[in-house]
Amino acid sequence: MKVIGLTGNIGSGKSSVARFLQNLGAGFIDADKVTHEIYNPGTAGWQAVVDAFGRDILDAKEEIDRNKLAQKVFSSPENHEKLNRILHPLIRKEVEARLEQLRRQGKGVAVLEAILLVEAGWMDMVDELWLVVAPKDLTLRRLEGRGVSESEALARLAKQPPPEKKMGYASQVINNEGNLEDLRKKVENLWQALHNEKKG
């Protein structure tokens, strides 16, 4: 099974690329969804995060309030590092288990979508990296279309590593500067090339 790491910053269009790949038959793992599950009350991840950051990050249902946690984490590099030390091994373990499950199901290609795939040190879990990039003005327009204000969108983008830092790791750079149909065609061409390569 070939594992494609899929990354790109918020608003780049990587979720659309992931959807097209799923439609073409790829297995799919969303690292962000795995993270959400690790935060579920009663799990080892939930307990470790509460022990590290205090019960004041919980809401009335004993669930981790991600906004409250973010306020603690983004205000302090030490806290950010502490959270990563807790989460990254747990996420990696779960992702590896899900990749093995897809392998047993006979999937020929699996896609792992993660914003911090390179930064988390997960390149050894993937065979190649596909990086989705988009012009900044287009990214801001897309985010505004989702109800994110320009100032909030700029703040979120500022917290994410610039795509240029990942270029050296990428087997494919997908420039998402057009419409969805353009993007779909690019993904289909890459999928075809991937299968031609496997036959060769």
Side-chain angles (χ1 to χ4, degrees):
M1 182 177 77
K2 183 175 272 278
V3 181
I4 296 168
L6 179 64
T7 194
N9 283 353
I10 185 171
S12 63
K14 72 181 179 308
S15 295
S16 297
V17 171
R19 190 171 67 250
F20 294 140
L21 286 167
Q22 283 177 273
N23 291 342
L24 290 164
F28 178 65
I29 300 165
D30 181 344
D32 196 45
K33 282 191 178 157
V34 172
T35 306
H36 278 270
E37 289 168 26
I38 283 167
Y39 280 137
N40 283 344
T43 62
W46 178 91
Q47 190 63 59
V49 172
V50 172
D51 287 347
F53 296 100
R55 294 188 64 83
D56 56 330
I57 61 167
L58 299 177
D59 63 16
K61 295 180 181 172
E62 294 277 289
E63 291 176 355
I64 290 171
D65 183 320
R66 286 173 68 121
N67 288 327
K68 287 180 184 173
L69 179 61
Q71 283 166 17
K72 288 196 175 196
V73 167
F74 288 119
S75 64
S76 154
E78 292 80 13
N79 281 348
H80 197 230
E81 181 57 36
K82 191 198 294 185
L83 183 64
N84 285 343
R85 277 200 308 272
I86 294 167
L87 290 181
H88 286 174
L90 294 169
I91 298 167
R92 183 188 180 99
K93 188 178 175 185
E94 182 59 30
V95 166
E96 284 175 340
R98 293 187 189 195
L99 284 171
E100 185 52 40
Q101 196 175 12
L102 290 171
R103 200 172 275 113
R104 284 201 302 269
Q105 288 169 5
K107 285 286 181 186
V109 178
V111 176
L112 169 58
E113 180 187 338
I115 282 186
L116 296 176
L117 198 148
V118 173
E119 294 75 15
W122 294 343
M123 284 297 293
D124 62 323
M125 286 201 289
V126 303
D127 297 304
E128 55 183 71
L129 183 71
W130 291 13
L131 172 65
V132 187
V133 297
K136 191 172 183 180
D137 60 333
L138 191 54
T139 299
L140 291 173
R141 280 209 304 278
R142 285 180 187 141
L143 291 172
E144 282 169 20
R146 295 185 209 165
V148 180
S149 70
E150 185 173 344
S151 59
E152 174 63 15
L154 286 167
R156 287 194 200 178
L157 286 168
K159 286 174 189 165
Q160 297 183 354
E164 293 76 21
K165 284 196 169 180
K166 302 178 191 185
M167 292 279 188
Y169 297 94
S171 312
Q172 303 291 345
V173 178
I174 303 169
N175 285 301
N176 182 18
E177 72 279 359
N179 58 31
L180 268 179
E181 185 58 23
D182 295 333
L183 185 61
R184 185 181 63 78
K185 284 177 183 165
K186 285 182 181 181
V187 173
E188 285 180 352
N189 288 339
L190 287 172
W191 180 261
Q192 192 58 53
L194 195 68
H195 282 74
N196 289 344
E197 181 190 301
K198 282 171 83 175
K199 283 177 198 164

